[in-house]
Amino acid sequence: MAQPFEVITPADTPIWLCLRQEASDAIAAEPGLASLLHSTILSHDDLASALSYHVARKMGDDTMRGMTVREMVQRYYERDASLVDAAEADLQAIYERDPAAKGYLQAFMFFKGYLAIQVYRIAHSLWQDNRITMAHLLQSRVSELFQIDIHPAARLGKGIFMDHGTGIVIGETAVVGDDVSLLHGVTLGGTGSEQGDRHPKIGKGVLLGAGAKVLGNIEIGDYAKIAAGSVVLKPVPSHCTAAGVPARLVNCQTCADPAKSMDQTLSDVVYDYVI
């Protein structure tokens, strides 16, 4: 008799199992956190359920109660499994790229960049459903809570890492590819009052250093690196580094995967060239 196929559920994924184990270990070390970690993680069957609760816990207020937020988020997770896949990829990105992250629990519970991205993903789904006002409400709430402003119409890939997150601004027509890393103070903005498609297009695996400003409808190629504090007004080819105000190309080819290496330094030769 043939054996039935094994059904794999979100609860069987390694990240979810690790997250639960880390929560249990944290309770053993800090019993005072038992109620928080049980309600947020251990009482749930999968990442989607835990994340919908966590988002609602943070986003609910007198205007929109937490239960209302949770029901809305849960509906979108049930309708579109790619939202949960992206949330898992974002969590994995933090674990791989942030030396301050000792596991998944810390990032899931306390890193505001991670939670801001997950709320953006719901807001983007609302925007696509023409629920514009609700999408803007979530955008505004994230901006108030976390000082991160992502327009719900912007398009972000998965595996996104916002290190620290404070001061990040992403405009309406911006596009951010998969596996991009953004540090605090990054702006993907326009150059003035122009209408239409007016924001940057960021390729796969790009590293945007702290305080970098990329302005206008320009393309930053795959695996490029934008140095901290730079103001980029012209396209940057793939695998190149741009630095300065205004930015100019300072070396091509840069490292193979700058978003994952998180190396914001420039070589000695580049420093000499910039000076």
Side-chain angles (χ1 to χ4, degrees):
M1 181 178 177
Q3 295 296 316
F5 288 106
E6 180 183 6
V7 178
I8 304 298
T9 68
D12 297 318
T13 61
I15 286 180
W16 174 241
L17 294 177
C18 288
L19 188 60
R20 288 180 62 86
Q21 184 60 55
E22 290 174 21
S24 296
D25 293 342
I27 290 172
E30 293 285 355
L33 295 178
S35 178
L36 172 64
L37 294 177
H38 271 292
S39 62
T40 307
I41 295 173
L42 295 176
S43 65
H44 302 280
D45 294 328
D46 53 43
L47 183 63
S49 178
L51 190 53
S52 66
Y53 177 89
H54 190 34
V55 167
R57 187 175 69 85
K58 286 288 190 179
M59 299 296 291
D61 60 8
D62 291 339
T63 301
M64 189 164 61
R65 298 295 184 183
M67 184 57 70
T68 303
V69 177
R70 187 180 184 194
E71 290 172 352
M72 178 177 65
V73 174
Q74 192 70 39
R75 281 197 300 270
Y76 276 101
Y77 284 163
E78 291 171 355
R79 191 184 78 176
D80 185 359
S82 69
L83 293 171
V84 183
D85 292 340
E88 189 170 86
D90 297 338
L91 199 56
Q92 184 66 30
I94 298 172
Y95 179 73
E96 292 177 351
R97 300 177 212 168
D98 189 351
K102 309 307 180 187
Y104 298 110
L105 179 67
Q106 182 184 10
F108 181 88
M109 292 295 299
F110 306 123
F111 283 17
K112 64 183 183 179
Y114 176 74
L115 199 58
I117 295 170
Q118 307 324 310
V119 179
Y120 148 77
R121 297 195 188 285
I122 299 299
H124 183 67
S125 295
L126 288 163
W127 187 273
Q128 291 179 311
D129 286 345
N130 204 34
R131 298 178 65 183
I132 304 303
T133 304
M134 184 65 77
H136 276 307
L137 176 64
L138 293 187
Q139 175 195 8
S140 176
R141 184 76 174 131
V142 167
S143 181
E144 292 171 0
L145 288 175
F146 305 133
Q147 295 79 53
I148 297 171
D149 196 342
I150 309 172
H151 195 286
R155 290 181 286 154
L156 273 62
K158 63 183 181 180
I160 305 297
F161 171 40
M162 292 184 177
D163 193 11
H164 299 288
T166 302
I168 288 176
V169 176
I170 299 178
E172 178 183 11
T173 60
V175 177
V176 179
D178 293 342
D179 301 320
V180 169
S181 294
L182 308 87
L183 283 91
H184 52 282
V186 165
T187 297
L188 305 180
T191 57
S193 60
E194 69 272 22
Q195 300 294 312
D197 194 356
R198 60 196 185 279
H199 295 107
K201 311 298 179 279
I202 309 299
K204 176 182 175 66
V206 172
L207 173 62
L208 298 163
K213 316 299 180 188
V214 185
L215 306 178
N217 184 14
I218 59 175
E219 183 174 344
I220 307 301
D222 294 347
Y223 304 105
K225 177 162 56 172
I226 308 302
S230 299
V231 177
V232 184
L233 302 172
K234 295 182 178 180
V236 176
S238 297
H239 296 283
C240 288
T241 297
V245 181
R248 54 179 173 167
L249 299 183
V250 293
N251 82 318
C252 298
Q253 172 168 355
T254 188
C255 61
D257 202 340
K260 291 187 177 180
S261 70
M262 294 296 293
D263 181 5
Q264 295 192 72
T265 64
L266 304 175
S267 70
D268 290 340
V269 172
V270 172
Y271 280 123
D272 291 342
Y273 178 71
V274 173
I275 291 171

